[in-house]
Amino acid sequence: MDAIEKLILGYANFCKDYYKKNQSYLKELAREGQHPKVAVIACSDSRVDPAVITDSTPGELFVIRNVANIVPPCEMGGTWHGTSAALDFAVCTLEVEHIIVFGHSQCGGIQALLKAGPNDAVPGRFVVAWMRIMEEVRNKVLAAPELQTPDERARACEEGAIAISLKNLMTFPWVQERARRGKLQLHGWYYDLESGDLLSLDPRSRTFKPIM
């Protein structure tokens, strides 16, 4: 069975099982629209699904996915602002009450960031240029003598990138305004693929601690 056939079979199972059992709820969502309380900025990595990890149902999470779960700083230049547009919709239209930057271990984007040299951007390719948003944390990690191994540097960079994204969120005026009025809370979470541990960034100690 090829990959597309597997997806079609999965859809058939969805129709027979999940949709049938939850038909009234799903139809209500269709009629009433979405009203999620939580927006999640997650990585595109196929192994990390915030809805699965948090056992959430349709309509509960507004999920924004990109390479390495990055929030860019607010800026009006350029043309295409996919992540910023999704944040705009989540905060200003849906009026979510929480935004979670949801990072994870073994992130391919972070690996690209750590390996990239100053002239490694390739015309027509986008990952290296996108990851340069996180050059600040890369330079800090590579200069830290206590980080001896590639795994230690990757972990520090993955966690540091979450903190930078949280800082970048506050450059959006409507995020800043709602956060200061207590209408919006920002969270940094880190998921370990191997252990299944979920950690949360403690704003006081600036360290990641088990979420429960």
Side-chain angles (χ1 to χ4, degrees):
M1 182 184 300
D2 71 15
I4 296 300
E5 288 174 340
K6 187 175 184 298
L7 292 179
I8 294 170
L9 178 60
Y11 171 66
N13 291 334
F14 165 80
C15 291
K16 288 186 293 185
D17 187 18
Y18 187 90
Y19 186 84
K20 189 174 181 180
K21 291 177 181 176
N22 299 278
Q23 191 169 0
S24 61
Y25 172 67
L26 295 172
K27 286 189 173 184
E28 181 182 347
L29 279 180
R31 288 192 303 268
E32 302 296 330
Q34 60 172 327
H35 302 284
K37 301 293 186 185
V38 179
V40 181
I41 297 103
C43 186
S44 300
D45 194 304
S46 61
R47 301 166 295 177
V48 183
D49 187 331
V52 171
I53 293 167
T54 60
D55 194 26
S56 297
T57 58
E60 290 187 313
L61 301 179
F62 184 83
V63 182
I64 305 162
R65 301 188 77 154
N66 63 41
V67 173
N69 44 270
I70 288 176
V71 177
C74 182
E75 52 91 18
M76 304 308 294
T79 305
W80 315 116
H81 299 284
T83 296
S84 300
L87 280 168
D88 181 342
F89 185 73
V91 174
C92 299
T93 301
L94 297 177
E95 298 184 340
V96 297
E97 298 173 3
H98 302 269
I99 299 176
I100 302 169
V101 179
F102 199 110
H104 68 96
S105 63
Q106 301 178 29
C107 179
I110 294 296
Q111 291 296 329
L113 174 67
L114 287 169
K115 292 175 183 175
N119 300 309
D120 281 358
V122 178
R125 303 285 297 276
F126 302 99
V127 171
V128 171
W130 170 251
M131 292 307 302
R132 287 208 170 125
I133 297 171
M134 291 299 158
E135 259 187 337
E136 173 188 344
V137 71
R138 172 187 184 270
N139 294 340
K140 183 178 179 181
V141 163
L142 292 180
E146 70 274 15
L147 300 173
Q148 296 290 316
T149 69
D151 285 347
E152 289 174 338
R153 290 190 285 271
R155 177 68 175 251
C157 207
E158 288 157 356
E159 293 182 350
I162 294 171
I164 295 295
S165 282
L166 289 170
K167 183 173 75 171
N168 286 347
L169 276 169
M170 291 296 285
T171 66
F172 291 85
W174 21 268
V175 169
Q176 185 180 118
E177 185 267 337
R178 288 183 65 81
R180 286 181 174 171
R181 288 198 294 121
K183 299 291 186 180
L184 180 65
Q185 296 181 46
L186 309 183
H187 312 266
W189 288 7
Y190 181 89
Y191 178 69
D192 189 304
L193 283 169
E194 289 196 23
S195 68
D197 292 337
L198 185 60
L199 311 177
S200 179
L201 179 59
D202 184 326
R204 293 182 180 177
S205 67
R206 307 305 298 169
T207 60
F208 284 82
K209 299 180 178 179
I211 207 161
M212 62 178 196

